[in-house]
Structure formats: C-alpha cells, structure tokens
C-alpha cells in the first residue's frame, strides 16, 4: 500500500533529518487508504514502483501545473535508483505534456535528490503542523 510507503519513508528516512516531534506532527500514523486514494485520484498522474512481490516500494506524483506534491521511497528501496527511475518517467511525461516548469516543496531528506535531478533551491519554507514548526524547501526546475 502507498500509505505504508509514505509512513515508512517519513519514519524511516526523514527521521534522520527531523526531530521526533516533527515526525509525529508530519505523520503520526499511516493515513487511511481511503483518504490517500481520494488525494491521488484528483486528476494528478502517479507512478508507482513495486518490488518482485508486487509490493509498492516508491511513488511520485505530478499535478497538471507541474507541481510534484509527493515523492516517497520505502527505506528498503532507498539508494537503489528507484526514485530516479520514477522521476525520469515523470519528467518524460511533463515534457510530452508541454509543462515547462516543475516545482516541489522538498523535505530535508529529499532536497539532495531533487538537486541531483537538476532542481534549484528557491527558498526555505517554514510552517507549522499540529503546533510544531517544520521546514522544507521550495525547489524548481525549468524543462528544456
């Protein structure tokens, strides 16, 4: 399930960059499958990578305006090129659709990945979730 990928990525990867309080505020528990499916069914494109047992290992989405809202990789698949493969599919699709700019709000954990994919830092964003201050990075990439 994609909710497991999301929760495992936040608790297993992002926890290296954020405090326990920030992790609890971001993802106190895995979201309900129904709520997650509703979010992913709003017209955005979604790519999923699965392992040999057909269990989701990572996913990425693309909204019509070029926004990448989510990129999450299960810790068991991290560092194996899965996220880069998914991103490649996303960028191919964006180019075919005539999207000239991609943008995201990358977590501390994802910032380096997006930099390697050619994104540039626009600004650090501070926000509050559940009374806890958290930050991420607005990043952009102009497509050729």
């Amino acid at each position: 399930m994609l909710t497991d990928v999301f929760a495992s990525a936040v608790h297993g990867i992002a926890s290296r960059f954020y405090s326990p309080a920030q992790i609890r505020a971001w993802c106190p528990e895995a979201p309900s499958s129904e709520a997650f499916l509703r979010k992913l069914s709003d017209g955005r494109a979604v790519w999923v990578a699965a392992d040999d047992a057909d269990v989701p290992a990572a996913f990425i989405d693309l909204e019509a305006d070029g926004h990448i809202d989510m990129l999450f990789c299960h810790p068991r698949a991290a560092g194996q090129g899965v996220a880069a493969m998914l991103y490649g599919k996303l960028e191919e699709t964006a180019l075919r659709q005539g999207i000239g700019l991609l943008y995201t709000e990358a977590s501390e954990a994802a910032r380096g990945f997006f930099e390697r994919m050619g994104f540039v830092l626009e600004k650090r964003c501070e926000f509050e979730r559940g009374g806890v201050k958290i930050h991420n990075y607005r990043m952009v990439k102009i497509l050729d």
Side-chain angles (χ1 to χ4, degrees):
M1 298 186 108
L2 298 184
T3 56
D4 179 54
V5 173
F6 167 72
S8 295
V10 172
H11 288 271
I13 297 174
S15 63
R16 295 182 224 152
F17 301 91
Y18 294 95
S19 73
Q22 290 171 317
I23 295 298
R24 281 191 306 276
W26 182 358
C27 179
E29 58 187 37
S32 76
S33 296
E34 296 79 25
F36 214 67
L37 182 58
R38 269 193 309 278
K39 180 174 183 161
L40 294 177
S41 299
D42 67 357
R44 69 186 70 204
V46 180
W47 292 265
V48 179
D51 62 19
D52 293 337
D54 207 30
V55 175
F59 69 95
I60 193 170
D61 71 347
L62 176 64
E63 296 173 348
D65 67 350
H67 182 233
I68 301 169
D69 185 36
M70 294 184 286
L71 168 60
F72 291 98
C73 187
H74 196 285
R76 74 175 182 278
Q80 298 177 21
V82 176
M85 181 270 303
L86 289 175
Y87 174 78
K89 300 288 185 189
L90 179 149
E91 189 171 299
E92 288 173 15
T93 300
L95 286 166
R96 274 197 316 275
Q97 292 178 354
I99 296 172
L101 175 79
L102 296 175
Y103 68 100
T104 192
E105 296 80 31
S107 69
E108 193 73 53
R111 178 181 173 182
F113 170 82
F114 281 106
E115 287 173 339
R116 288 189 299 280
M117 296 301 113
F119 283 70
V120 295
L121 175 64
E122 194 171 78
K123 67 179 179 175
R124 180 181 163 121
C125 304
E126 303 282 340
F127 59 98
E128 206 172 285
R129 185 170 284 163
V132 177
K133 291 184 180 186
I134 306 177
H135 68 276
N136 60 22
Y137 300 94
R138 164 101 173 173
M139 303 182 77
V140 297
K141 180 177 181 178
I142 296 172
L143 298 179
D144 298 329

